[in-house]
Amino acid sequence: MENPSKLFKQRLQRIHTSVGISASLFMYICVFFGIFAIFLPYIQTWEKPSRHFESANIKDINYSKMIDPVISDPTFPTNNIIIELPGYFSDPALKVNHMFVEPVVFNPKTMERVDDEGVNSQLARFLNHMHYGRPFMSVGYFVFGLVAVAVMLLIIGGLIQVYYLKYNNNPKNHQGKFSKYHRKVFMWLFAPFVIVTLTGAYMNIGYSGSTLMTYISSKGEVSNTWQAVGPVLKPQRAFVQTNNEQASMLPISDLIKKAENINPNINFEKIKLINWKDSSAQVELTGYNPNFPFLNGVYNNPLIVLSAVDGSLIEYKKVLDGNWTSMFADTLYFLHLLFGVDIFVRTIIAIIMAICGVAIGFGVMFYLEKKAKKFDGKIPLYHWFGKLSLAVMIGVIPATGFIFLLQWLLPFDMQDRMFWQKGLFFIAWLSTLTWAFYRVCSFKAAKEFFILGAILFMITPLVHFYISGFSPIELFTNNMFIILNVDITLFIFGLLLLFIGLKIPKNRENFKLLFSKKKDK
Amino acid sequence: MKIKSILFFLLLSLNSSAHTLLMDIIDNEDNTITVVGAFSTGEKTVGALVKLESLVSGEVLYQQRLPQESELTINIPKEQYQVVLDGGPGHTVVKEGFAPLEGFTKKSSTEDSNKKLSQNQQGLLVNTSLITLFSIAFILLALTLYFSARNTKMLITQLKK
């Protein structure tokens, strides 16, 4: 009988390999698009010509001039109108919104209505959807959610392996180095990665996966989890009866100032107008309090309700007034969605995630190198999983560069624009699979994908400058820093890809040398 | 049996997170109908626009947003009509309306009215664009298989040498 300890270690390794290889490509997709999702608010502004204007201070805006004509339209709903203030999710526009109508968008500086691209421009949204499998609908949610669970198993299993097994930390060959990099990165970064995957699993399969639990705990009354938890997480305010008496409203900017006097720490994001122009009119101001990170942002938002007639305080809910369940849910969401987090923290987290993505890549390469060893010196490894990994992990780069370029190449008034943009992205991605199988040498194909991706990412800002009509100097002088920063980031990312593309050797032998250069010296 | 139950709940949960707009029309049998709007989650659709569109002329015969109760009682028109619950872009539910007790005086005739009418908008987009993209995707997949077979054959020959 084999030594039980040896058997346990062997099984640990085998489970790690089989689960890791099954989940690696999905997890890489989550991480890759997650990096773009971290910068979602900025990409969202960059992608729309209608948002190419300078931001305004929310206290200096004449709201009535923009809102009044909209809400006096008889076809527009009269109640529960939501005004999204400039700066909400880095959007410089002011939006007059209602659940059942298309939003009306204004440039708060000029107070002119702008033609929102609506469904024709959803690049950032799509990249975010790719992050959690939404384009593949319910199946995508489940698969990506289960992959997140698998990753937690991999991390825990991996840490146990590091504890039990003796690894060589000074490997001589490239294969050993792949294993070392994969191991070391996750040993250092497992904590943020576990948090992100745990919260990701919660969001993807937490609600839908608890249908059975909801059904049992409600004694068969409801199976829809939101129906059961919604009223607890986000309690609705009581309905405000109209008095049917016309009344003049205080300017919204004055109401914002009053709310700021009540709590100057809240960054107000949305205003709900209730029974507007009636003597019972109220404004509900909600926002985010950065002094209580983790505890507010999604469900547990601080709230100030004022009378729109005289500005008197009707209700004031602080962050800590919320119930613990909504605070707990917000903590989970905060760890994943980074509410109220500035660009520097976002960049650090994006870098951490990028390193984790590369470490997943090293794990896959370690597995493939084991396969390639069998044919060493005879033929190059031509394995379906290697080609698929190449297309999924590296091929996604030029495909993403292409979707960014298409954002400014396709006319904004094109019919089914977003459908074509998404479709061409998938076609481009699929064509990298064809190319990966066409090229016998995967290193050559990887080099081509990197260089192609670099070209696409580098020309995107140039195309953006040309089509939008805004040069980098104009963007800078007009204080459109968000848009300019996205252009600069895309260009730098392109340069980085070009550097990697030029560095990658054309064959496996040179690739091995690349990782053993120092030793040779 | 246990496996079947688990599969049933898994399938149930696949659709449980959907936020679909629903409309119920009740014939009150006094020449009025009651239109009730709701989301599949049970939430009310206060503020959603209810329209009665003539199937004869395509004109809007009645329109009103749903009040706090999320339901409206409306007099049945004399001409054949459809009831539309407009929940904003991409969320429209359309159902044919009940006839009055004495029957419709004007009945739907031809296509000219249909152009003006609202359509159900909760389905998938299936058109020539989709067919084009899928065709390209199939060609690429076929090419992938071809290159895979060709290169594998070449490498096996190389290995045998």
Side-chain angles (χ1 to χ4, degrees):
Chain A
M1 193 187 156
E2 269 189 273
N3 180 354
S5 162
K6 195 182 164 193
L7 203 64
F8 171 69
K9 286 171 189 172
Q10 212 173 47
R11 279 181 182 166
L12 259 181
Q13 277 187 310
R14 282 180 185 170
I15 288 171
H16 192 85
T17 310
S18 52
V19 176
I21 287 302
S22 313
S24 59
L25 301 187
F26 290 107
M27 198 58 216
Y28 181 85
I29 295 170
C30 290
V31 172
F32 180 83
F33 288 105
I35 294 166
F36 290 96
I38 290 173
F39 298 111
L40 178 136
Y42 314 113
I43 299 171
Q44 213 159 240
T45 306
W46 172 87
E47 70 175 69
K48 292 178 179 175
S50 67
R51 302 303 198 274
H52 281 51
F53 53 79
E54 196 184 338
S55 308
N57 186 335
I58 61 164
K59 281 178 272 178
D60 303 333
I61 297 168
N62 184 352
Y63 292 93
S64 303
K65 203 173 171 189
M66 290 179 275
I67 296 162
D68 282 354
V70 178
I71 54 179
S72 7
D73 179 349
T75 59
F76 204 86
T78 50
N79 211 353
N80 295 328
I81 299 157
I82 293 166
I83 299 165
E84 283 178 21
L85 297 173
Y88 178 57
F89 266 85
S90 296
D91 190 346
L94 176 127
K95 263 195 217 171
V96 184
N97 225 333
H98 188 277
M99 201 178 194
F100 299 117
V101 289
E102 282 205 61
V104 184
V105 185
F106 289 93
N107 173 348
K109 270 270 175 190
T110 59
M111 287 184 278
E112 282 170 7
R113 208 165 154 160
V114 291
D115 286 329
D116 186 48
E117 292 78 8
V119 289
N120 272 351
S121 177
Q122 295 186 329
L123 172 66
R125 194 177 145 97
F126 172 67
L127 293 171
N128 186 34
H129 286 176
M130 283 299 293
H131 165 58
Y132 62 91
R134 189 166 165 169
F136 313 105
M137 292 175 271
S138 302
V139 177
Y141 279 106
F142 267 79
V143 171
F144 278 52
L146 292 175
V147 163
V149 177
V151 169
M152 283 184 280
L153 173 87
L154 286 168
I155 293 174
I156 296 163
L159 290 173
I160 297 171
Q161 279 185 68
V162 171
Y163 182 76
Y164 277 111
L165 304 177
K166 277 181 188 159
Y167 285 100
N168 176 13
N169 282 328
N170 295 302
K172 288 193 176 85
N173 60 9
H174 64 294
Q175 195 186 325
K177 284 197 176 164
F178 293 160
S179 163
K180 181 188 164 182
Y181 298 148
H182 176 71
R183 212 169 52 238
K184 289 281 174 192
V185 166
F186 283 117
M187 271 169 68
W188 283 99
L189 300 178
F190 82 90
F193 203 64
V194 161
I195 290 168
V196 169
T197 44
L198 174 72
T199 49
Y202 163 75
M203 284 191 273
N204 256 40
I205 51 174
Y207 277 122
S208 44
S210 47
T211 303
L212 181 59
M213 203 158 60
T214 310
Y215 186 77
I216 294 168
S217 57
S218 66
K219 292 186 177 134
E221 269 182 42
V222 281
S223 60
N224 186 306
T225 309
W226 180 250
Q227 223 172 316
V229 300
V232 182
L233 286 177
K234 214 169 173 62
Q236 295 293 313
R237 287 186 65 233
F239 174 62
V240 183
Q241 283 289 350
T242 49
N243 297 336
N244 292 320
E245 293 168 358
Q246 282 264 329
S248 61
M249 304 286 100
L250 281 178
I252 291 174
S253 43
D254 287 359
L255 292 163
I256 293 175
K257 280 175 197 159
K258 278 183 190 288
E260 279 185 337
N261 288 338
I262 296 166
N263 191 339
N265 297 320
I266 302 173
N267 298 329
F268 292 104
E269 292 166 341
K270 284 182 186 177
I271 304 173
K272 194 196 247 185
L273 309 184
I274 301 161
N275 300 344
W276 199 244
K277 305 264 169 166
D278 186 81
S279 60
S280 63
Q282 296 181 358
V283 284
E284 256 184 47
L285 293 107
T286 50
Y288 176 75
N289 190 338
N291 292 348
F292 295 95
F294 295 92
L295 299 178
N296 69 141
V298 184
Y299 299 121
N300 185 36
N301 292 323
L303 168 85
I304 293 176
V305 184
L306 300 173
S307 158
V309 180
D310 56 13
S312 58
L313 181 67
I314 296 169
E315 192 181 331
Y316 174 33
K317 187 194 134 214
K318 292 177 224 158
V319 172
L320 296 177
D321 291 339
N323 60 55
W324 73 268
T325 45
S326 57
M327 283 190 223
F328 177 70
D330 274 21
T331 306
L332 289 176
Y333 275 100
F334 181 85
L335 292 167
H336 200 106
L337 303 176
L338 309 173
F339 276 106
V341 169
D342 61 20
I343 181 77
F344 298 105
V345 180
R346 278 177 191 268
T347 309
I348 291 166
I349 291 167
I351 292 168
I352 290 174
M353 289 303 128
I355 295 169
C356 290
V358 173
I360 297 172
F362 277 122
V364 173
M365 277 160 73
F366 176 57
Y367 170 79
L368 289 171
E369 271 305 312
K370 272 187 181 175
K371 297 249 171 215
K373 234 179 170 181
K374 292 176 192 167
F375 304 99
D376 232 356
K378 293 172 197 158
I379 53 160
L381 178 77
Y382 192 79
H383 193 279
W384 72 268
F385 186 74
K387 296 297 180 188
L388 181 69
S389 307
L390 176 65
V392 170
M393 299 174 111
I394 314 292
V396 71
I397 299 170
T400 309
F402 187 52
I403 201 174
F404 266 92
L405 184 65
L406 285 175
Q407 179 61 25
W408 289 95
L409 278 184
L410 296 176
F412 281 92
D413 54 359
M414 182 182 169
Q415 202 190 352
D416 298 334
R417 184 182 191 273
M418 208 51 221
F419 174 79
W420 276 104
Q421 196 178 359
K422 286 192 257 187
L424 290 172
F425 159 78
F426 283 117
I427 291 290
W429 199 359
L430 189 59
S431 60
T432 64
L433 181 74
T434 309
W435 194 255
F437 273 93
Y438 169 74
R439 284 262 184 248
V440 174
C441 177
S442 296
F443 295 99
K444 205 171 175 184
K447 194 179 177 73
E448 286 160 349
F449 290 159
F450 271 113
I451 293 173
L452 179 64
I455 294 166
L456 291 168
F457 274 106
M458 280 160 75
I459 63 167
T460 297
L462 307 177
V463 173
H464 166 236
F465 297 142
Y466 179 73
I467 307 275
S468 70
F470 284 93
S471 70
I473 297 161
E474 279 173 304
L475 289 173
F476 184 81
T477 49
N478 290 315
N479 298 327
M480 292 184 233
F481 298 118
I482 289 176
I483 297 166
L484 183 61
N485 286 344
V486 173
D487 283 319
I488 293 169
T489 311
L490 290 177
F491 194 79
I492 293 172
F493 184 54
L495 276 178
L496 183 72
L497 292 174
L498 189 67
F499 174 76
I500 299 169
L502 295 174
K503 274 274 174 193
I504 286 183
K506 279 185 183 167
N507 56 52
R508 192 159 167 263
E509 294 315 309
N510 290 340
F511 187 73
K512 281 191 210 169
L513 288 175
L514 188 75
F515 283 91
S516 51
K517 247 180 195 171
K518 281 178 189 168
K519 292 277 167 199
D520 293 343
K521 278 173 190 174
Chain B
M1 189 62 201
K2 273 181 186 173
I3 296 168
K4 275 186 184 173
S5 311
I6 292 166
L7 280 173
F8 169 75
F9 275 105
L10 272 175
L11 285 170
L12 190 74
S13 61
L14 272 173
N15 218 9
S16 66
S17 53
H19 206 75
T20 317
L21 191 65
L22 304 170
M23 174 174 66
D24 200 10
I25 309 169
I26 303 156
D27 186 357
N28 300 322
E29 293 178 356
D30 59 354
N31 276 351
T32 65
I33 50 165
T34 299
V35 180
V36 186
F39 284 114
S40 54
T41 52
E43 285 171 275
K44 289 178 177 179
T45 54
V46 182
L49 189 67
V50 174
K51 286 193 283 187
L52 262 54
E53 290 177 343
S54 164
L55 290 174
V56 180
S57 61
E59 299 302 321
V60 176
L61 304 170
Y62 170 93
Q63 64 174 4
Q64 182 80 47
R65 291 202 175 269
L66 283 172
Q68 190 57 31
E69 304 78 42
S70 199
E71 61 177 62
L72 275 172
T73 299
I74 309 161
N75 288 326
I76 298 176
K78 303 284 177 210
E79 56 194 282
Q80 208 174 348
Y81 67 99
Q82 64 176 18
V83 186
V84 181
L85 180 64
D86 186 353
H91 295 284
T92 306
V93 188
V94 182
K95 280 184 182 175
E96 204 170 322
F98 289 104
L101 294 171
E102 60 280 12
F104 291 119
T105 51
K106 286 184 196 172
K107 288 204 172 179
S108 148
S109 53
T110 48
E111 309 93 41
D112 50 336
S113 62
N114 292 350
K115 288 176 190 167
K116 297 179 189 174
L117 296 171
S118 304
Q119 308 285 330
N120 273 311
Q121 285 180 6
Q122 299 209 74
L124 282 170
L125 174 82
V126 181
N127 55 20
T128 46
S129 321
L130 192 69
I131 296 164
T132 312
L133 288 173
F134 264 97
S135 307
I136 300 170
F138 275 113
I139 292 167
L140 285 168
L141 281 173
L143 278 172
T144 307
L145 291 172
Y146 167 72
F147 290 134
S148 170
R150 190 194 70 175
N151 289 341
T152 308
K153 199 177 163 188
M154 186 194 76
L155 289 169
I156 288 172
T157 321
Q158 210 176 310
L159 199 64
K160 279 178 182 169
K161 280 179 190 172

